Amino acid sequence: MTGMHYVVTGGTGFIGRRLVTRLLDLPDTAAVHVLVRRQSLGRFERLAQQWDERVCPLVGDLTEPALGLSDADAADLGDIDHVVHCGAIYDITAAEDRQRAANVEGTASVIGLAARLDATLHHLSSIAVAGTYRGVFSEDDIDVAQDL
């Protein structure tokens, strides 16, 4: 199938579901695979009612090694152009081990998936990455005000 093929993490979340809708509005979007935990398939199905047949679930988990995806799962995706990572635990009061598993190790696994698929990686993050810094914050400031 021609056109752009995407994998999206966090596609059932507040930002992700809007992102999926916008991807579907692009004239060249052919497929959007949304990484979703098995226990969240019901949520995906409810959201998918407002999407079309170009969107399908990709059962996996940010907290599992390699996102819980086998080599066969990755191969079944076919040619993927873009991996868009917006899945995370955004609650800064969540336990550190849960945040690390999803936000640090999960991101490393998403980077690995993008490399395995030879796809362009797009990473969305929350403003929490800025710590307690006030004002304009850029990629050059990652080590500033990190006292949370």
Side-chain angles (χ1 to χ4, degrees):
M1 182 185 289
T2 61
M4 289 290 149
H5 293 74
Y6 299 86
V7 170
V8 176
T9 69
T12 61
F14 180 78
I15 295 169
R17 66 180 179 242
R18 288 160 175 79
L19 172 72
V20 170
T21 298
R22 287 189 175 206
L23 290 175
L24 293 172
D25 288 342
L26 296 174
D28 63 345
T29 297
V32 180
H33 304 272
V34 177
L35 184 75
V36 60
R37 290 172 297 172
R38 186 165 306 283
Q39 61 267 34
S40 298
L41 279 170
R43 182 181 197 179
F44 172 86
E45 293 300 331
R46 285 189 301 278
L47 288 168
Q49 292 174 12
Q50 62 188 326
W51 297 329
D52 61 37
E53 70 283 348
R54 293 175 292 167
V55 181
C56 60
L58 174 62
V59 177
D61 192 320
L62 279 178
T63 63
E64 294 293 323
L67 306 174
L69 301 176
S70 68
D71 287 339
D73 294 330
D76 286 346
L77 291 170
D79 290 332
I80 298 295
D81 301 290
H82 300 275
V83 174
V84 184
H85 180 40
C86 55
I89 294 176
Y90 291 102
D91 177 3
I92 63 173
T93 65
E96 182 179 350
D97 61 331
R98 286 189 58 233
Q99 289 188 50
R100 179 168 298 285
N103 300 351
V104 177
E105 294 163 16
T107 298
S109 293
V110 172
I111 293 167
L113 177 66
R116 185 163 46 163
L117 297 172
D118 194 28
T120 300
L121 175 64
H122 307 267
H123 182 227
L124 283 67
S125 186
S126 73
I127 61 167
V129 74
T132 57
Y133 185 81
R134 296 199 179 276
V136 175
F137 190 87
S138 77
E139 293 86 354
D140 297 327
D141 298 319
I142 293 300
D143 61 346
V144 174
Q146 296 301 312
D147 57 346
L148 290 176

